[in-house]
Amino acid sequence: MEQIATQLDSSLEDENYLEINEKFGKGSVWRIELEEGLILQREDLCMNDDLYLIRDLEDKNVESFSFIYQLSSFHLDGQVEENEKVGETRNTTFIFNNRFKFNVRIPAHTQMNHLHIYMTKEWIEKFIASYNIPKSSDLLRLLNDPDVTIYDEIGPELLRVVHQMLSYEPIEKLKKAYLKIKVEESFVVAIDMNWKREENFGELSYVHQADFQVVTSIKKDLLDNLISPPSLEEFADRYSMSKSKIQNLFKQVYGSPVFQYLKKIRLEKAMEMLQNQNISISEIGYLVGYTSLGHFSKAFKEFHGILPKDVRKQNIES
């Protein structure tokens, strides 16, 4: 915290609370050690310039982990290990081993809203033993395979616990006890949600870091090429991965196969353009990948429940 305060010429009210200097941006960072091996940190920032996050640990024997509740959405680019990674973070939980190298950039004027939990391996093992966590849970996978990145969407049950951590203010003497209980509750809810999904759908919510990087790169390729995106065969050749594996990984991360997801972002982009840009409906259809106005209008109506011309008419009337 002291190093960050010096770099940003910001006020450090105490060793655990930092207020960002207005010339660099706005927001604050606070952290609290709940017990040995468990630290909770809140990052609520919006910087005027690009923010670079770099980790290059010399001591590869360090066994600590990060559990992040990402409460805002933004694009992130940079490198993880030796791989180029460009992708969008969303309302998501991430767990990863802190031995990972990374050098990432968060664009200027991007709202960062994180609840960041640092845990040692010893603390996780004690937590698992204390509550008899099932041996096939994701936390045990993480301990046994440090190359695994675990992620999941923040569902309403988990979001409730996270908001309680952020909003409720117990008296000072009870603050650590309250936050520790809520951190543990959030872990149990996250594990339970994942466990139920595996039982109901047979889907796992973790992928290896290299596979996750491939999926986020494919998503960027789709966003950058709405008119003429690469084919599934081209993706398979580019990333030396079977088409079925790409489809399965993409569905795990984004909830649908590659080209169902492409259709979704095309039609969402079309709605945004209809509401905010004064160009013809046929041109909007072309810009999001439809060569036929009829096909575009039909797909738009099926997805949004309204024809493009009626959206345009509503905008004119309003």
Side-chain angles (χ1 to χ4, degrees):
M1 294 283 280
E2 290 181 1
Q3 184 179 5
I4 297 174
T6 301
Q7 290 175 344
L8 298 180
D9 191 22
S10 301
S11 60
L12 192 63
E13 294 191 9
D14 59 50
E15 62 181 6
N16 294 314
Y17 183 81
L18 171 68
E19 190 76 29
I20 301 300
N21 189 311
E22 289 185 357
K23 70 181 181 182
F24 292 102
K26 58 183 179 180
S28 61
V29 179
W30 61 256
R31 65 187 296 162
I32 181 170
E33 184 174 2
L34 301 178
E35 64 178 6
E36 185 176 357
L38 181 65
I39 295 174
L40 178 65
Q41 180 166 303
R42 171 73 186 280
E43 300 147 6
D44 190 4
L45 307 171
C46 185
M47 307 303 290
N48 296 333
D49 296 312
D50 291 353
L51 179 64
Y52 291 86
L53 304 177
I54 301 171
R55 179 188 286 128
D56 187 4
L57 294 181
E58 295 181 0
D59 184 3
K60 281 294 186 178
N61 294 317
V62 172
E63 286 285 5
S64 64
F65 302 85
S66 286
F67 196 132
I68 298 177
Y69 295 114
Q70 169 58 41
L71 300 172
S72 55
S73 298
F74 56 82
H75 280 80
L76 184 74
D77 62 25
Q79 285 190 328
V80 177
E81 295 290 341
E82 303 301 323
N83 299 313
E84 189 70 18
K85 177 181 178 181
V86 180
E88 180 185 1
T89 65
R90 52 200 169 93
N91 291 340
T92 307
T93 62
F94 286 95
I95 313 178
F96 55 88
N97 191 302
N98 283 330
R99 288 183 293 170
F100 277 131
K101 292 182 181 180
F102 62 72
N103 183 344
V104 296
R105 179 183 68 90
I106 299 173
H109 308 296
T110 296
Q111 187 67 40
M112 283 181 59
N113 190 0
H114 290 164
L115 198 61
H116 197 150
I117 302 164
Y118 298 93
M119 309 159 285
T120 62
K121 183 176 182 179
E122 290 76 16
W123 187 89
I124 296 177
E125 289 174 335
K126 184 176 71 173
F127 172 75
I128 289 171
S130 297
Y131 295 103
N132 195 25
I133 302 296
K135 290 187 177 180
S136 60
S137 74
D138 279 345
L139 283 178
L140 281 177
R141 289 193 187 101
L142 187 71
L143 291 176
N144 295 330
D145 187 352
D147 291 329
V148 165
T149 297
I150 301 169
Y151 69 91
D152 204 350
E153 290 189 14
I154 301 180
E157 300 86 357
L158 187 54
L159 194 60
R160 174 185 57 80
V161 181
V162 173
H163 281 314
Q164 287 174 348
M165 273 193 273
L166 297 176
S167 61
Y168 184 69
E169 285 289 340
I171 63 172
E172 192 62 31
K173 290 182 179 180
L174 295 178
K175 188 172 184 177
K176 283 189 177 182
Y178 174 79
L179 290 174
K180 177 178 178 291
I181 290 169
K182 286 298 173 182
V183 165
E184 292 185 345
E185 182 184 356
S186 73
F187 287 171
V188 172
V189 171
I191 293 168
D192 181 62
M193 289 168 57
N194 178 261
W195 186 270
K196 287 175 179 175
R197 184 173 59 252
E198 288 188 27
E199 288 183 339
N200 294 333
F201 303 107
E203 295 178 352
L204 302 178
S205 67
Y206 69 94
V207 294
H208 283 274
Q209 187 73 25
D211 290 341
F212 187 77
Q213 184 267 329
V214 167
V215 171
T216 55
S217 295
I218 289 174
K219 179 184 175 182
K220 181 177 184 296
D221 289 337
L222 296 176
L223 291 170
D224 291 344
N225 299 280
L226 290 179
I227 295 176
S228 182
S231 67
L232 195 57
E233 289 77 11
E234 288 174 305
F235 283 134
D237 290 341
R238 183 178 303 175
Y239 298 108
S240 301
M241 187 178 289
S242 71
K243 292 186 290 185
S244 60
K245 183 174 181 180
I246 288 175
Q247 293 281 50
N248 290 335
L249 286 171
F250 204 90
K251 186 175 180 181
Q252 279 184 252
V253 177
Y254 295 116
S256 59
V258 174
F259 290 99
Q260 284 185 26
Y261 183 83
L262 174 63
K263 181 178 180 180
K264 172 179 176 290
I265 59 177
R266 278 174 163 169
L267 295 171
E268 288 176 346
K269 181 66 175 177
M271 175 64 84
E272 178 187 330
M273 295 173 74
L274 280 166
Q275 293 174 333
N276 298 296
Q277 297 187 32
N278 188 26
I279 56 179
S280 70
I281 292 174
S282 59
E283 186 175 356
I284 289 174
Y286 171 76
L287 290 174
V288 297
Y290 288 87
T291 56
S292 163
L293 178 58
H295 288 160
F296 169 58
S297 295
K298 181 181 178 181
F300 191 94
K301 174 71 180 296
E302 289 175 350
F303 187 80
H304 290 293
I306 186 173
L307 288 168
K309 65 179 183 180
D310 293 330
V311 174
R312 179 58 54 82
K313 183 179 178 181
Q314 288 176 357
N315 285 349
I316 293 173
E317 291 175 349
S318 62

